[in-house]
Amino acid sequence: MVEKIHEVKTTELKINGLETEEEDNSQPYKLCAICHSLGGAAMLMYVVTRRIEEKPHRLSRLILLSPAGFHQDSNLVFTTMEHLFLMMAPILSRIIPAFYIPTRFFRMLLNKLARDFNNYPAVGGLVQTLMSYVVGGDSSNWVGVLGLPHYNMNDMPGVSFFVALHLAQMKHARKFRMYDYGSPAANMEFYGSPEPLDLGEYYGFIDIPVDLVAGKRDNVIRPSMVIKHYKLMKGAGVEVSYNEFEYAHLDFTFSHREELLAYVMSRMLLLEGVTKQQLPSNQKSLKLKKEKVNS
């Protein structure tokens, strides 16, 4: 995906008659990745592995909102699921390729239930409470998320079984590491070592600024786990920052609160190439937008 973005951008620059390479061989555009949860873990994996392979990652900055990777500080439900996945993986992987809602009929049924949850506050409140207990008291708007447009009868998000298994492996190992293929021989084939790569040990390869954000009310990925990313990066000499908001896990992507938007924009404006004249203008527009929302 990132390479495709690079291809498109360089093509656009050529069409416009602009140089596609600068004097120091750096790319002529800035690309910032803003990721949440699993996306944050995936981008960290991407940057570290590309640097190990000595290939350009094309990114200029990472803004990671409650990134996954470390999960040992979690509730009893997640711990139970961890042991269940690890114990049943050889069997489940053969019969459950992914976690999703199969067939158009069942997706339509779930979509209808989601609408009912929103139309009947008492029912929706009950489901919200039950979901919050399942995920350790996280107060995210779980019912509201089901009403988003991409949850429909024609298509619906799913999670690969092996992604879930990878999360269980990381939680069990208490490390942020690559997928364990189950045997030293298989790992040797993929990684060149009997054990999966411990990504935390390679944080020194990260050569771009990283902004980590945690939610104080997030019980899916608790602040202590985001702080672990921060400490490892800081110890490895990465240019990293850490911030917290009074958010639950899904609030980062679902609520669209002004303070988070302003924070993300402020970090993006730190990218090279943003002039001092641009900064007050953007801050002013954010302020005006906030005043309009409050009114």
Side-chain angles (χ1 to χ4, degrees):
M1 178 64 75
V2 176
E3 285 300 315
K4 187 63 178 179
I5 293 172
H6 176 70
E7 179 185 334
V8 171
K9 291 300 295 182
T10 51
T11 302
E12 288 177 350
L13 291 171
K14 288 178 181 178
I15 292 174
N16 292 326
L18 300 174
E19 294 293 331
T20 57
E21 290 187 1
E22 297 180 353
E23 293 181 358
D24 58 354
N25 292 324
S26 62
Q27 61 191 30
Y29 63 89
K30 305 299 178 185
L31 182 61
C32 177
I34 305 170
C35 314
H36 174 249
S37 194
L38 281 173
M43 291 311 298
L44 286 172
M45 291 178 187
Y46 169 75
V47 171
V48 170
T49 54
R50 294 288 287 189
R51 290 280 289 136
I52 291 174
E53 294 169 355
E54 298 183 344
K55 296 179 181 179
H57 52 67
R58 313 292 184 190
L59 297 171
S60 306
R61 192 177 198 96
L62 287 176
I63 302 175
L64 308 181
L65 311 175
S66 195
F70 295 106
H71 302 278
Q72 57 265 35
D73 182 10
S74 61
N75 60 66
L76 180 61
V77 174
F78 289 148
T79 302
T80 303
M81 291 174 63
E82 166 205 338
H83 292 293
L84 179 64
F85 269 94
L86 294 175
M87 182 174 61
M88 301 294 292
I91 299 173
L92 294 177
S93 61
R94 298 176 183 274
I95 59 177
I96 305 177
F99 299 97
Y100 64 103
I101 306 298
T103 76
R104 182 184 173 91
F105 171 77
F106 287 110
R107 288 194 291 268
M108 179 184 66
L109 184 62
L110 181 64
N111 193 254
K112 177 65 169 61
L113 287 173
R115 289 199 302 270
D116 289 343
F117 293 155
N118 286 288
N119 293 333
Y120 299 99
V123 178
L126 177 61
V127 174
Q128 173 69 29
T129 301
L130 292 174
M131 282 296 300
S132 296
Y133 276 115
V134 168
V135 293
D138 188 271
S139 59
S140 298
N141 188 359
W142 300 98
V143 172
V145 168
L146 293 176
L148 292 175
H150 54 276
Y151 286 89
N152 58 71
M153 66 182 72
N154 297 313
D155 194 16
M156 193 169 287
V159 178
S160 167
F161 173 83
F162 293 100
V163 170
L165 178 59
H166 189 192
L167 287 171
Q169 291 177 351
M170 290 190 292
K171 186 178 184 311
H172 184 73
R174 305 174 71 88
K175 295 178 180 179
F176 179 32
R177 65 179 193 172
M178 300 294 282
Y179 181 78
D180 188 348
Y181 285 91
S183 69
N187 288 329
M188 184 67 73
E189 180 181 352
F190 281 94
Y191 307 121
S193 65
E195 294 290 328
L197 291 177
D198 184 347
L199 294 160
E201 293 183 356
Y202 290 89
Y203 273 174
F205 280 81
I206 299 176
D207 59 346
I208 55 175
V210 180
D211 300 302
L212 299 172
V213 183
K216 293 181 180 179
R217 295 188 290 112
D218 190 338
N219 280 306
V220 177
I221 300 175
R222 293 175 174 169
S224 59
M225 298 293 91
V226 182
I227 290 173
K228 187 159 187 178
H229 282 291
Y230 173 78
K231 288 181 177 179
L232 285 173
M233 289 183 188
K234 200 72 174 176
V238 179
E239 184 182 340
V240 60
S241 70
Y242 175 80
N243 205 344
E244 288 184 353
F245 289 92
E246 200 68 37
Y247 290 177
H249 190 65
L250 296 182
D251 291 343
F252 287 105
T253 56
F254 185 68
S255 63
H256 304 297
R257 297 181 184 177
E258 187 68 22
E259 59 178 346
L260 179 62
L261 295 175
Y263 171 78
V264 170
M265 286 300 299
S266 71
R267 306 316 292 179
M268 292 179 66
L269 289 172
L270 295 176
L271 289 171
E272 293 180 7
V274 178
T275 63
K276 293 182 179 179
Q277 288 78 13
Q278 289 174 307
L279 187 58
S281 174
N282 281 280
Q283 286 182 337
K284 184 178 179 181
S285 65
L286 283 171
K287 184 178 180 181
L288 290 173
K289 185 177 179 182
K290 187 172 184 179
E291 289 175 354
K292 187 181 293 184
V293 171
N294 292 336
S295 62

